[in-house]
Amino acid sequence: MPYVNIRITKEGATPEQKARLIQGATQLLVDVLGKNPATTVVVIDEVDTDNWGIAGESITLRRARGE
Amino acid sequence: MPYVNIRITKEGATPEQKARLIQGATQLLVDVLGKNPATTVVVIDEVDTDNWGIAGESITLRRARGE
Amino acid sequence: MPYVNIRITKEGATPEQKARLIQGATQLLVDVLGKNPATTVVVIDEVDTDNWGIAGESITLRRARGE
Amino acid sequence: MPYVNIRITKEGATPEQKARLIQGATQLLVDVLGKNPATTVVVIDEVDTDNWGIAGESITLRRARGE
Amino acid sequence: MPYVNIRITKEGATPEQKARLIQGATQLLVDVLGKNPATTVVVIDEVDTDNWGIAGESITLRRARGE
Amino acid sequence: MPYVNIRITKEGATPEQKARLIQGATQLLVDVLGKNPATTVVVIDEVDTDNWGIAGESITLRRARGE
């Protein structure tokens, strides 16, 4: 029954990469806690770089500096 | 003062359906716990089917199989 | 597959009331969007009144004034 | 290490305003709890007015009445 | 910079198991998307079985039936 | 109508500090976006240090090393 929410910046993750995140997170819960995969939910949120901040500034600004 | 977050896949919910979710969730909190509707917040997140997984695979794949 | 998160202040909701919230939120998704109840998840978070604010002050303070 | 999630309706917040929210929320955690800004994350979610409800109705309806 | 929130029922996960969840979720983001582990945050929420519902009823009730 | 969720580790924040977080986050939304404080909700989650990870390990381990 676990619920996993993965939040990342929207920077071009492909459907294949997102499928791997879903598969990997589900397997992690099975391996570590013996959870039932059939009711394990994984939701990926892709967030605009203007809307994600770390160290007090947006990812947009960090990317513009090449970070 | 409750906050209710309803997360569903983005598969064409209409404004009327979303209005019913908002109304129904608010009324539920009033009926069960006597909460004040004036400060009850309901937020609906619609998530791309590539970004929602259950049983280790995305909803996109399940829909492609007719599930 | 919906996921519903209900956040309320921790002020003595009983197991029976929480069961009604779970049942009611699940039924709402069935009624409005035809969702499958078997994979509908409802999670209730009960939050300390010191940790919930509205209008810039905590619920603890509002309760102390009889609100 | 704090994580701050600010959810607002999508009604035209500019990149500059979002940058101020990121900066202000980060500074608040530094000032009040002495947290390290380098690992303080702020994520802003902008939600469609059809998907945000208060008092049992959507913000879209409230805006249409001039509220 | 990813943020991962893992929500499970509170049924005795040990610190070692939680450490494995943190390590595994972080590694998943590194492997699939090349994210920087230094700023990858994982937060585990353990939720009372009375407060988690699936299929319209609480986990407490399901456990009582041996499920 | 904004909703702000502040997640921190549970390491002794006082009611006074939490009141300042509530007040400060509410004022930030008023100052930057002109939001109505009366319907601005702030919820603080305090998370056990075993349940919060960064760089692939728990805060408990980092604190034990004096970080």
Side-chain angles (χ1 to χ4, degrees), chain B residues 1-9 17 20-21 24-25 28-29 31-33 35 39 52 54 59 63, chain C residues 1-9 17 20-21 24-25 28-29 31-33 35 39 52 54 59 63:
Chain B
M1 276 145 306
Y3 171 80
V4 181
N5 183 211
I6 299 174
R7 312 201 90 188
I8 54 175
T9 43
Q17 288 173 319
R20 287 176 61 199
L21 290 177
L28 182 66
L29 273 294
D31 290 346
V32 176
L33 294 174
K35 294 294 185 183
T39 52
W52 192 296
I54 190 163
I59 300 301
R63 294 291 184 250
Chain C
M1 276 146 305
Y3 171 79
V4 181
N5 183 210
I6 299 174
R7 312 201 88 187
I8 54 175
T9 44
Q17 288 173 318
R20 286 176 62 198
L21 291 178
L28 182 67
L29 274 293
D31 291 347
V32 175
L33 294 173
K35 294 293 184 183
T39 53
W52 192 297
I54 191 163
I59 300 301
R63 294 291 184 252

Side-chain angles (χ1 to χ4, degrees), chain E:
Chain E
M1 276 145 307
Y3 171 80
V4 181
N5 184 211
I6 299 173
R7 312 202 89 188
I8 54 175
T9 44
K10 196 187 198 82
E11 299 181 272
T14 65
E16 288 71 26
Q17 288 173 318
K18 293 190 274 193
R20 286 177 62 199
L21 290 177
I22 289 169
Q23 189 175 39
T26 304
Q27 193 60 43
L28 182 66
L29 274 294
V30 172
D31 291 347
V32 175
L33 293 174
K35 293 295 185 184
N36 179 6
T39 52
T40 296
V41 173
V42 181
V43 176
I44 301 166
D45 294 324
E46 296 177 278
V47 176
D48 197 280
T49 56
D50 278 349
N51 290 18
W52 192 296
I54 190 162
E57 62 178 8
S58 74
I59 301 301
T60 302
L61 286 180
R62 292 167 79 92
R63 295 292 184 249
R65 286 201 309 271
E67 292 179 36

Side-chain angles (χ1 to χ4, degrees), chain D residues 1 3 5 7 52 59, chain F residues 1 3 5 7 17 52 59:
Chain D
M1 277 146 306
Y3 171 80
N5 184 210
R7 312 201 89 189
W52 192 297
I59 300 301
Chain F
M1 277 145 303
Y3 171 80
N5 183 211
R7 311 201 89 188
Q17 287 173 319
W52 193 296
I59 300 301

Side-chain angles (χ1 to χ4, degrees), chain A residues 7 45, chain B residues 3-7 41-46, chain D residues 4-10 21 43-47 52, chain F residues 1-5 29 33 35 40-41:
Chain A
R7 312 201 89 188
D45 294 324
Chain B
Y3 171 80
V4 181
N5 183 211
I6 299 174
R7 312 201 90 188
V41 174
V42 181
V43 177
I44 301 166
D45 295 325
E46 295 177 278
Chain D
V4 181
N5 184 210
I6 299 174
R7 312 201 89 189
I8 54 175
T9 43
K10 195 186 198 83
L21 290 177
V43 176
I44 301 166
D45 295 324
E46 295 177 278
V47 177
W52 192 297
Chain F
M1 277 145 303
Y3 171 80
V4 181
N5 183 211
L29 273 295
L33 294 174
K35 294 294 186 183
T40 296
V41 174

